[in-house]
Amino acid sequence: MDNHASMTNLPDSAEAQAHAPHGEEEHAHPTWSTYWKVALILTLITVGEVWAYYIPSFVAGRGFVPTLLFLSALKFTIVVMFYMHLKYDHRLFRVLFTGPLLIASLTLLALMFLFGHLYFKVM
Amino acid sequence: MATSVVHTSAPASHHYTTLGLDSRKVAIWAFIGSECMLFVSLISTYLIYKGRSIVGPFPHEAWTDPTTGHVLKPILNIPVTSASTFVLLMSSLFMVLALAAVQNKEKPKHTRGERILGNSKLWLWMTAIAGTTFLGFQAFEFTSFVHEGLTIRTNLFGSTFFTLTGFHGAHVTAGVLWLVTLLAIDYRRGLGSRDSLLVDIAALYWHFVDVIWIVIFTLVYLIK
């Protein structure tokens, strides 16, 4: 038996109300039309990425990889912000997600330097 | 006294943190954070070994087998993977519409469009079907790679590619099973706004699987 429940003598639903999320910083989620617009933007970016893949002069150029990385990061951010509602949810969720993501990204960069895929020009 | 306490509505019990946040939502975000680290470790391994395979087939370049003289074409099929990426992106839209439908279940719906948008079963089915379709694309891709001579033991590309995309596929499979359990609940007693957190947690997991694929698609398939 739950000691806390037996002390408050409340049914669970009432107890849940009593412990309502008074500190929660949640805002209204986007509307359906926003979700459709986001899907359209994601689709257009993906089409742009695949299109870029089939332009040999662009693939051979210096801008290809940075462009694709930017577009991928943009799509990632849009999904996280609008579909995962991180833009509207509590700050703690942002910390729980971006903290490990930052550590992981830095580890990835460090490994790329360590194994010679990325390097600084000393001279 | 113990006799005065009756748990009449067990599913309604919530566990809030001192910040007033539901513990289950905090837990799923912490889980997603840890999953980020798992996938970045797999992606790192792929990138470290990228371009270091001694024998083919290779992802973006043709290769001639010196022993047999056979020419093996680049193994990645970008049009097929682009289609599967589109399907997974659309599944995220369906998932978020399913969540909105559950959250707004009690609101009156006057038009046909509102009734369609408010049909949680429809959007959950659509998400599960899109997830299964993505898995079908992946099964097709894996099978064709094996037929073309690329297995997990062939070269460094094969080992890292199958490990990375295989782990992702396993996560999609778990997501589809999760969606099926939500559908079962919806058919059994109906999902209402009181269940929105259940769907929200499943949706967060599903979108996470989607964002990981966004990264994999660019790093593995598009960047040569």
Side-chain angles (χ1 to χ4, degrees), chain A residues 12 19 21 24 89 108 115 117, chain B residues 7 16 20 25 44 48 52:
Chain A
D12 283 353
H19 293 264
E24 208 159 346
D89 262 347
L108 172 63
F115 284 88
H117 290 275
Chain B
H7 288 263
Y16 291 106
K25 198 159 174 181
S44 301
I48 285 166
R52 297 193 181 187

Side-chain angles (χ1 to χ4, degrees), chain A residues 6 9 12 19 21 23-24 32 35 43 46 49-50 53-54 72 79 83-84 86 89 93 100 103-104 108 115 117, chain B residues 4-5 7 16 19-20 25 29 33 40 44 47-48 52 60 79 82 89-90 93 97 100 207 211 218 222 224:
Chain A
S6 62
N9 203 16
D12 283 353
H19 293 264
E24 208 159 346
W32 282 315
Y35 292 141
T43 305
T46 307
E49 283 179 319
V50 177
Y53 179 85
Y54 285 105
S72 177
V79 172
Y83 282 175
M84 295 174 87
L86 211 58
D89 262 347
F93 300 140
I103 294 169
L108 172 63
F115 284 88
H117 290 275
Chain B
S4 64
V5 180
H7 288 263
Y16 291 106
L19 289 171
K25 198 159 174 181
W29 274 111
V40 169
S44 301
L47 291 177
I48 285 166
R52 297 193 181 187
H60 299 285
S82 302
L89 281 176
M90 288 303 104
L93 171 67
L97 290 176
H207 297 312
V211 293
T218 301
L222 295 182
K224 296 184 181 179

Side-chain angles (χ1 to χ4, degrees), chain A residues 49-60:
Chain A
E49 283 179 319
V50 177
W51 195 348
Y53 179 85
Y54 285 105
I55 304 172
S57 59
F58 186 56
V59 173

